[in-house]
PDB file of all heavy atoms in Angstrom:
ATOM      1  N   LEU W 250     -15.948 -13.213  14.741  1.00 98.00           N
ATOM      2  CA  LEU W 250     -14.737 -12.688  14.118  1.00 98.00           C
ATOM      3  C   LEU W 250     -13.652 -13.753  14.199  1.00 98.00           C
ATOM      4  O   LEU W 250     -13.322 -14.228  15.287  1.00 98.00           O
ATOM      5  CB  LEU W 250     -14.283 -11.405  14.811  1.00 98.00           C
ATOM      6  CG  LEU W 250     -13.027 -10.736  14.231  1.00 98.00           C
ATOM      7  CD1 LEU W 250     -13.273 -10.296  12.787  1.00 98.00           C
ATOM      8  CD2 LEU W 250     -12.598  -9.553  15.091  1.00 98.00           C
ATOM      9  N   ARG W 251     -13.096 -14.111  13.046  1.00 98.00           N
ATOM     10  CA  ARG W 251     -12.051 -15.139  12.975  1.00 98.00           C
ATOM     11  C   ARG W 251     -10.754 -14.485  12.513  1.00 98.00           C
ATOM     12  O   ARG W 251     -10.723 -13.842  11.460  1.00 98.00           O
ATOM     13  CB  ARG W 251     -12.451 -16.249  11.992  1.00 98.00           C
ATOM     14  CG  ARG W 251     -13.848 -16.816  12.215  1.00 98.00           C
ATOM     15  CD  ARG W 251     -14.235 -17.765  11.078  1.00 98.00           C
ATOM     16  NE  ARG W 251     -15.661 -18.084  11.113  1.00 98.00           N
ATOM     17  CZ  ARG W 251     -16.184 -19.098  11.784  1.00 98.00           C
ATOM     18  NH1 ARG W 251     -15.371 -19.900  12.471  1.00 98.00           N
ATOM     19  NH2 ARG W 251     -17.486 -19.327  11.757  1.00 98.00           N
ATOM     20  N   GLY W 252      -9.690 -14.660  13.295  1.00 97.00           N
ATOM     21  CA  GLY W 252      -8.402 -14.076  12.935  1.00 97.00           C
ATOM     22  C   GLY W 252      -7.826 -13.278  14.077  1.00 97.00           C
ATOM     23  O   GLY W 252      -8.490 -13.004  15.077  1.00 97.00           O
ATOM     24  N   SER W 253      -6.571 -12.891  13.920  1.00 97.00           N
ATOM     25  CA  SER W 253      -5.898 -12.138  14.975  1.00 97.00           C
ATOM     26  C   SER W 253      -6.320 -10.667  14.932  1.00 97.00           C
ATOM     27  O   SER W 253      -6.550 -10.096  13.871  1.00 97.00           O
ATOM     28  CB  SER W 253      -4.380 -12.252  14.824  1.00 97.00           C
ATOM     29  OG  SER W 253      -3.957 -11.736  13.581  1.00 97.00           O
ATOM     30  N   LEU W 254      -6.401 -10.084  16.125  1.00 98.00           N
ATOM     31  CA  LEU W 254      -6.876  -8.712  16.249  1.00 98.00           C
ATOM     32  C   LEU W 254      -6.019  -7.958  17.247  1.00 98.00           C
ATOM     33  O   LEU W 254      -5.783  -8.437  18.358  1.00 98.00           O
ATOM     34  CB  LEU W 254      -8.337  -8.715  16.708  1.00 98.00           C
ATOM     35  CG  LEU W 254      -9.007  -7.361  16.967  1.00 98.00           C
ATOM     36  CD1 LEU W 254      -9.040  -6.520  15.703  1.00 98.00           C
ATOM     37  CD2 LEU W 254     -10.413  -7.568  17.526  1.00 98.00           C
ATOM     38  N   GLN W 255      -5.550  -6.784  16.847  1.00 97.00           N
ATOM     39  CA  GLN W 255      -4.790  -5.928  17.751  1.00 97.00           C
ATOM     40  C   GLN W 255      -5.510  -4.598  17.896  1.00 97.00           C
ATOM     41  O   GLN W 255      -5.850  -3.946  16.909  1.00 97.00           O
ATOM     42  CB  GLN W 255      -3.366  -5.680  17.242  1.00 97.00           C
ATOM     43  CG  GLN W 255      -2.572  -4.729  18.155  1.00 97.00           C
ATOM     44  CD  GLN W 255      -1.099  -4.694  17.843  1.00 97.00           C
ATOM     45  OE1 GLN W 255      -0.547  -5.682  17.345  1.00 97.00           O
ATOM     46  NE2 GLN W 255      -0.448  -3.580  18.120  1.00 97.00           N
ATOM     47  N   ALA W 256      -5.732  -4.203  19.166  1.00 97.00           N
ATOM     48  CA  ALA W 256      -6.397  -2.939  19.461  1.00 97.00           C
ATOM     49  C   ALA W 256      -5.528  -2.120  20.411  1.00 97.00           C
ATOM     50  O   ALA W 256      -5.018  -2.649  21.400  1.00 97.00           O
ATOM     51  CB  ALA W 256      -7.772  -3.183  20.088  1.00 97.00           C
ATOM     52  N   GLU W 257      -5.358  -0.850  20.103  1.00 96.00           N
ATOM     53  CA  GLU W 257      -4.550   0.009  20.969  1.00 96.00           C
ATOM     54  C   GLU W 257      -5.187   0.169  22.337  1.00 96.00           C
ATOM     55  O   GLU W 257      -4.480   0.309  23.339  1.00 96.00           O
ATOM     56  CB  GLU W 257      -4.362   1.381  20.323  1.00 96.00           C
ATOM     57  CG  GLU W 257      -3.491   1.374  19.088  1.00 96.00           C
ATOM     58  CD  GLU W 257      -3.268   2.778  18.567  1.00 96.00           C
ATOM     59  OE1 GLU W 257      -3.504   3.744  19.339  1.00 96.00           O
ATOM     60  OE2 GLU W 257      -2.884   2.913  17.396  1.00 96.00           O
ATOM     61  N   ARG W 258      -6.532   0.141  22.376  1.00 96.00           N
ATOM     62  CA  ARG W 258      -7.203   0.375  23.649  1.00 96.00           C
ATOM     63  C   ARG W 258      -8.003  -0.853  24.090  1.00 96.00           C
ATOM     64  O   ARG W 258      -7.536  -1.628  24.924  1.00 96.00           O
ATOM     65  CB  ARG W 258      -8.096   1.613  23.544  1.00 96.00           C
ATOM     66  CG  ARG W 258      -7.325   2.910  23.305  1.00 96.00           C
ATOM     67  CD  ARG W 258      -8.210   4.125  23.435  1.00 96.00           C
ATOM     68  NE  ARG W 258      -9.111   4.265  22.314  1.00 96.00           N
ATOM     69  CZ  ARG W 258      -9.011   5.215  21.386  1.00 96.00           C
ATOM     70  NH1 ARG W 258      -8.041   6.093  21.446  1.00 96.00           N
ATOM     71  NH2 ARG W 258      -9.887   5.292  20.404  1.00 96.00           N
ATOM     72  N   GLN W 259      -9.186  -1.064  23.546  1.00 97.00           N
ATOM     73  CA  GLN W 259     -10.103  -2.049  24.125  1.00 97.00           C
ATOM     74  C   GLN W 259     -10.718  -2.966  23.071  1.00 97.00           C
ATOM     75  O   GLN W 259     -11.043  -2.535  21.971  1.00 97.00           O
ATOM     76  CB  GLN W 259     -11.215  -1.307  24.869  1.00 97.00           C
ATOM     77  CG  GLN W 259     -12.211  -2.195  25.590  1.00 97.00           C
ATOM     78  CD  GLN W 259     -13.351  -1.391  26.181  1.00 97.00           C
ATOM     79  OE1 GLN W 259     -14.421  -1.242  25.599  1.00 97.00           O
ATOM     80  NE2 GLN W 259     -13.105  -0.831  27.377  1.00 97.00           N
ATOM     81  N   ILE W 260     -10.871  -4.241  23.461  1.00 98.00           N
ATOM     82  CA  ILE W 260     -11.659  -5.206  22.696  1.00 98.00           C
ATOM     83  C   ILE W 260     -12.797  -5.661  23.597  1.00 98.00           C
ATOM     84  O   ILE W 260     -12.567  -6.208  24.672  1.00 98.00           O
ATOM     85  CB  ILE W 260     -10.820  -6.414  22.245  1.00 98.00           C
ATOM     86  CG1 ILE W 260      -9.726  -5.962  21.275  1.00 98.00           C
ATOM     87  CG2 ILE W 260     -11.702  -7.477  21.584  1.00 98.00           C
ATOM     88  CD1 ILE W 260      -8.791  -7.086  20.851  1.00 98.00           C
ATOM     89  N   HIS W 261     -14.027  -5.432  23.149  1.00 98.00           N
ATOM     90  CA  HIS W 261     -15.212  -5.727  23.964  1.00 98.00           C
ATOM     91  C   HIS W 261     -16.027  -6.800  23.253  1.00 98.00           C
ATOM     92  O   HIS W 261     -16.573  -6.560  22.171  1.00 98.00           O
ATOM     93  CB  HIS W 261     -16.035  -4.453  24.141  1.00 98.00           C
ATOM     94  CG  HIS W 261     -17.172  -4.597  25.099  1.00 98.00           C
ATOM     95  ND1 HIS W 261     -17.816  -3.519  25.660  1.00 98.00           N
ATOM     96  CD2 HIS W 261     -17.797  -5.691  25.620  1.00 98.00           C
ATOM     97  CE1 HIS W 261     -18.779  -3.930  26.465  1.00 98.00           C
ATOM     98  NE2 HIS W 261     -18.789  -5.254  26.447  1.00 98.00           N
ATOM     99  N   LEU W 262     -16.096  -7.991  23.852  1.00 98.00           N
ATOM    100  CA  LEU W 262     -16.928  -9.066  23.327  1.00 98.00           C
ATOM    101  C   LEU W 262     -18.255  -9.055  24.066  1.00 98.00           C
ATOM    102  O   LEU W 262     -18.316  -9.313  25.269  1.00 98.00           O
ATOM    103  CB  LEU W 262     -16.246 -10.428  23.479  1.00 98.00           C
ATOM    104  CG  LEU W 262     -15.176 -10.761  22.432  1.00 98.00           C
ATOM    105  CD1 LEU W 262     -13.816 -10.233  22.875  1.00 98.00           C
ATOM    106  CD2 LEU W 262     -15.101 -12.255  22.186  1.00 98.00           C
ATOM    107  N   HIS W 263     -19.320  -8.734  23.335  1.00 98.00           N
ATOM    108  CA  HIS W 263     -20.651  -8.653  23.927  1.00 98.00           C
ATOM    109  C   HIS W 263     -21.278 -10.046  24.027  1.00 98.00           C
ATOM    110  O   HIS W 263     -20.726 -11.035  23.535  1.00 98.00           O
ATOM    111  CB  HIS W 263     -21.535  -7.719  23.092  1.00 98.00           C
ATOM    112  CG  HIS W 263     -21.074  -6.300  23.122  1.00 98.00           C
ATOM    113  ND1 HIS W 263     -21.617  -5.355  23.962  1.00 98.00           N
ATOM    114  CD2 HIS W 263     -20.110  -5.657  22.407  1.00 98.00           C
ATOM    115  CE1 HIS W 263     -21.021  -4.199  23.769  1.00 98.00           C
ATOM    116  NE2 HIS W 263     -20.101  -4.345  22.825  1.00 98.00           N
ATOM    117  N   ASN W 264     -22.422 -10.119  24.674  1.00 96.00           N
ATOM    118  CA  ASN W 264     -23.122 -11.387  24.861  1.00 96.00           C
ATOM    119  C   ASN W 264     -23.288 -12.113  23.526  1.00 96.00           C
ATOM    120  O   ASN W 264     -23.801 -11.527  22.559  1.00 96.00           O
ATOM    121  CB  ASN W 264     -24.492 -11.117  25.496  1.00 96.00           C
ATOM    122  CG  ASN W 264     -25.236 -12.393  25.808  1.00 96.00           C
ATOM    123  OD1 ASN W 264     -24.630 -13.448  25.996  1.00 96.00           O
ATOM    124  ND2 ASN W 264     -26.552 -12.308  25.876  1.00 96.00           N
ATOM    125  N   HIS W 265     -22.835 -13.379  23.464  1.00 94.00           N
ATOM    126  CA  HIS W 265     -22.858 -14.228  22.269  1.00 94.00           C
ATOM    127  C   HIS W 265     -21.813 -13.836  21.221  1.00 94.00           C
ATOM    128  O   HIS W 265     -21.782 -14.421  20.134  1.00 94.00           O
ATOM    129  CB  HIS W 265     -24.246 -14.258  21.618  1.00 94.00           C
ATOM    130  CG  HIS W 265     -25.330 -14.772  22.525  1.00 94.00           C
ATOM    131  ND1 HIS W 265     -25.248 -16.008  23.146  1.00 94.00           N
ATOM    132  CD2 HIS W 265     -26.490 -14.203  22.934  1.00 94.00           C
ATOM    133  CE1 HIS W 265     -26.324 -16.187  23.890  1.00 94.00           C
ATOM    134  NE2 HIS W 265     -27.091 -15.097  23.796  1.00 94.00           N
ATOM    135  N   GLY W 266     -20.973 -12.864  21.518  1.00 97.00           N
ATOM    136  CA  GLY W 266     -19.882 -12.537  20.608  1.00 97.00           C
ATOM    137  C   GLY W 266     -18.813 -13.616  20.653  1.00 97.00           C
ATOM    138  O   GLY W 266     -18.546 -14.217  21.696  1.00 97.00           O
ATOM    139  N   LEU W 267     -18.175 -13.895  19.509  1.00 98.00           N
ATOM    140  CA  LEU W 267     -17.183 -14.959  19.415  1.00 98.00           C
ATOM    141  C   LEU W 267     -15.959 -14.453  18.670  1.00 98.00           C
ATOM    142  O   LEU W 267     -16.062 -13.974  17.534  1.00 98.00           O
ATOM    143  CB  LEU W 267     -17.763 -16.172  18.684  1.00 98.00           C
ATOM    144  CG  LEU W 267     -16.798 -17.325  18.339  1.00 98.00           C
ATOM    145  CD1 LEU W 267     -16.175 -17.901  19.603  1.00 98.00           C
ATOM    146  CD2 LEU W 267     -17.525 -18.405  17.534  1.00 98.00           C
ATOM    147  N   LEU W 268     -14.799 -14.552  19.299  1.00 98.00           N
ATOM    148  CA  LEU W 268     -13.529 -14.220  18.669  1.00 98.00           C
ATOM    149  C   LEU W 268     -12.685 -15.484  18.624  1.00 98.00           C
ATOM    150  O   LEU W 268     -12.337 -16.038  19.665  1.00 98.00           O
ATOM    151  CB  LEU W 268     -12.800 -13.119  19.441  1.00 98.00           C
ATOM    152  CG  LEU W 268     -11.361 -12.802  18.988  1.00 98.00           C
ATOM    153  CD1 LEU W 268     -11.349 -12.346  17.533  1.00 98.00           C
ATOM    154  CD2 LEU W 268     -10.734 -11.742  19.891  1.00 98.00           C
ATOM    155  N   ILE W 269     -12.371 -15.932  17.422  1.00 98.00           N
ATOM    156  CA  ILE W 269     -11.538 -17.123  17.229  1.00 98.00           C
ATOM    157  C   ILE W 269     -10.197 -16.649  16.688  1.00 98.00           C
ATOM    158  O   ILE W 269     -10.043 -16.370  15.498  1.00 98.00           O
ATOM    159  CB  ILE W 269     -12.197 -18.118  16.260  1.00 98.00           C
ATOM    160  CG1 ILE W 269     -13.588 -18.512  16.759  1.00 98.00           C
ATOM    161  CG2 ILE W 269     -11.330 -19.356  16.089  1.00 98.00           C
ATOM    162  CD1 ILE W 269     -14.359 -19.388  15.797  1.00 98.00           C
ATOM    163  N   GLY W 270      -9.227 -16.522  17.562  1.00 97.00           N
ATOM    164  CA  GLY W 270      -7.913 -16.011  17.170  1.00 97.00           C
ATOM    165  C   GLY W 270      -7.280 -15.250  18.312  1.00 97.00           C
ATOM    166  O   GLY W 270      -7.929 -14.909  19.301  1.00 97.00           O
ATOM    167  N   ASP W 271      -6.000 -14.992  18.192  1.00 97.00           N
ATOM    168  CA  ASP W 271      -5.268 -14.278  19.235  1.00 97.00           C
ATOM    169  C   ASP W 271      -5.624 -12.795  19.201  1.00 97.00           C
ATOM    170  O   ASP W 271      -5.961 -12.230  18.148  1.00 97.00           O
ATOM    171  CB  ASP W 271      -3.764 -14.441  19.025  1.00 97.00           C
ATOM    172  CG  ASP W 271      -3.335 -15.903  19.088  1.00 97.00           C
ATOM    173  OD1 ASP W 271      -4.106 -16.714  19.634  1.00 97.00           O
ATOM    174  OD2 ASP W 271      -2.243 -16.225  18.568  1.00 97.00           O
ATOM    175  N   CYS W 272      -5.541 -12.174  20.370  1.00 97.00           N
ATOM    176  CA  CYS W 272      -5.799 -10.742  20.428  1.00 97.00           C
ATOM    177  C   CYS W 272      -4.793 -10.063  21.336  1.00 97.00           C
ATOM    178  O   CYS W 272      -4.335 -10.635  22.325  1.00 97.00           O
ATOM    179  CB  CYS W 272      -7.227 -10.445  20.883  1.00 97.00           C
ATOM    180  SG  CYS W 272      -7.568 -10.785  22.624  1.00 97.00           S
TER     181      CYS W 272
END
Side-chain angles (χ1 to χ4, degrees):
L250 181 63
R251 310 172 193 271
S253 60
L254 177 61
Q255 178 168 332
E257 291 184 17
R258 295 189 287 250
Q259 183 186 96
I260 296 176
H261 187 163
L262 280 88
H263 294 262
N264 184 25
H265 301 305
L267 173 60
L268 172 60
I269 303 174
D271 299 341
C272 71

